[in-house]
């Protein structure tokens, strides 16, 4: 109830604290993946838009954290946009017995990802460039314990995408990149004088 909530907020343990911290990468949490089966008894892999999991950083979405001693809620908001951003999509969860992998596919555009809405209004005024383009995408295939990695890399000079796995290098269409189980992504901030060479 609103009255009880207002009363609790007067207590010290419920006071809101703001902490500013630097980051090397942003961790994006995948929703729990319910695996449904179609009429042919084949698994249907769930999908989620990139902007849904980026909502963690909009300053209003709350995430609950549990420790042995306490439970608390956190909200995140970006205060600065660096020239390069690294997203780590949290596919693996570890419990006491084994590691599980979430196979949810993240739907994302290759270019024009605007992060302006994840900045507070006062910070937005200081950022004239808030749009990012993907330049690298690391994929994990298979089971957590015995899977393999592939990487998709943009060749900046030609605007073409390549897939690297071990010593094999092949061309890949940008549309195919979005169908993979992306794990780590590197995004480059677009400057005003840059033109889009990626053809996507």
């Amino acid at each position: 109830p609103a009255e009880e909530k207002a009363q609790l907020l007067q207590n010290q343990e419920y006071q809101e604290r703001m902490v500013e911290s630097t980051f090397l990468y942003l961790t994006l949490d995948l929703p729990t993946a319910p695996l449904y089966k179609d009429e042919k008894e084949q698994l249907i892999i769930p999908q989620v838009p990139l902007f849904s999991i980026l909502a963690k950083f909009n300053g209003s979405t709350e995430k609950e954290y549990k420790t042995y001693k306490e439970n608390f809620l956190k909200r995140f908001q970006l205060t600065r946009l660096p020239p390069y951003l690294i997203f780590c999509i949290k596919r693996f969860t570890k419990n006491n017995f084994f590691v599980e992998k979430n196979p949810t596919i993240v739907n994302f555009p290759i270019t024009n990802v605007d992060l302006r809405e994840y900045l507070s209004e006062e910070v937005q005024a200081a950022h004239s460039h808030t749009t990012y383009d993907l330049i690298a995408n690391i994929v994990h295939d298979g089971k957590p314990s015995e899977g393999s990695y592939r990487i998709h890399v943009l060749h900046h000079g030609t605007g073409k995408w390549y897939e690297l796995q071990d010593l094999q290098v092949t061309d890949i269409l940008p549309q195919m990149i979005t169908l993979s189980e992306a794990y780590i992504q590197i995004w480059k901030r677009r400057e005003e004088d840059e033109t889009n060479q990626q053809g996507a």
Side-chain angles (χ1 to χ4, degrees):
E3 292 178 8
E4 188 178 340
K5 183 178 178 182
Q7 196 171 10
L8 285 171
L9 288 174
Q10 302 299 318
N11 297 345
Q12 182 63 35
E13 65 176 308
Y14 290 102
Q15 293 298 307
E16 191 172 276
R17 293 188 306 122
M18 187 168 72
V19 177
E20 189 167 316
S21 58
T22 56
F23 63 88
L24 181 62
Y25 56 86
L26 297 177
T27 302
L28 305 181
D29 304 311
L30 287 175
T32 305
L35 295 181
Y36 303 107
K37 290 188 177 182
D38 62 13
E39 61 275 4
K40 296 178 182 177
E41 289 295 303
Q42 292 180 327
L43 290 177
I44 298 173
I45 307 296
Q47 301 183 19
V48 63
L50 175 66
F51 293 102
S52 292
I53 56 177
L54 272 173
K56 173 182 177 179
F57 298 98
N58 64 12
S60 58
T61 301
E62 293 180 334
K63 180 171 169 57
E64 185 175 10
Y65 290 83
K66 295 182 178 181
T67 66
Y68 293 113
K69 294 182 179 179
E70 59 182 350
N71 294 356
F72 51 92
L73 296 173
K74 281 188 177 183
R75 293 195 307 267
F76 300 92
Q77 188 162 38
L78 303 179
T79 57
R80 189 177 303 168
L81 292 177
Y84 293 90
L85 266 177
I86 301 172
F87 292 164
C88 180
I89 298 169
K90 195 174 179 186
R91 291 205 172 273
F92 303 101
T93 51
K94 187 184 291 187
N95 61 29
N96 293 334
F97 305 104
F98 52 87
V99 177
E100 286 184 293
K101 180 184 174 186
N102 186 328
T104 299
I105 299 294
V106 178
N107 299 129
F108 56 91
I110 300 290
T111 60
N112 288 324
V113 171
D114 193 352
L115 300 182
R116 180 170 295 277
E117 66 179 279
Y118 304 103
L119 300 169
S120 63
E121 288 184 17
E122 58 271 19
V123 175
Q124 285 182 14
H127 284 74
S128 53
H129 307 302
T130 58
T131 303
Y132 285 79
D133 297 324
L134 186 70
I135 59 170
N137 182 55
I138 299 172
V139 178
H140 183 273
D141 296 313
K143 297 178 181 177
S145 55
E146 51 194 59
S148 60
Y149 292 93
R150 291 179 288 138
I151 182 168
H152 303 127
V153 180
L154 174 69
H155 186 274
H156 187 68
T158 62
K160 289 184 177 179
W161 281 91
Y162 294 93
E163 180 176 280
L164 288 72
Q165 186 168 24
D166 297 328
L167 297 177
Q168 290 185 324
V169 179
T170 54
D171 296 7
I172 186 170
L173 293 171
Q175 305 91 291
M176 300 303 292
I177 295 170
T178 63
L179 301 176
S180 58
E181 293 181 18
Y183 180 40
I184 296 172
Q185 297 182 325
I186 302 175
W187 297 80
K188 182 180 185 292
R189 191 176 63 203
R190 185 183 294 184
E191 303 302 331
E192 202 170 302
D193 57 345
E194 289 182 336
T195 56
N196 179 18
Q197 302 176 4
Q198 300 182 35

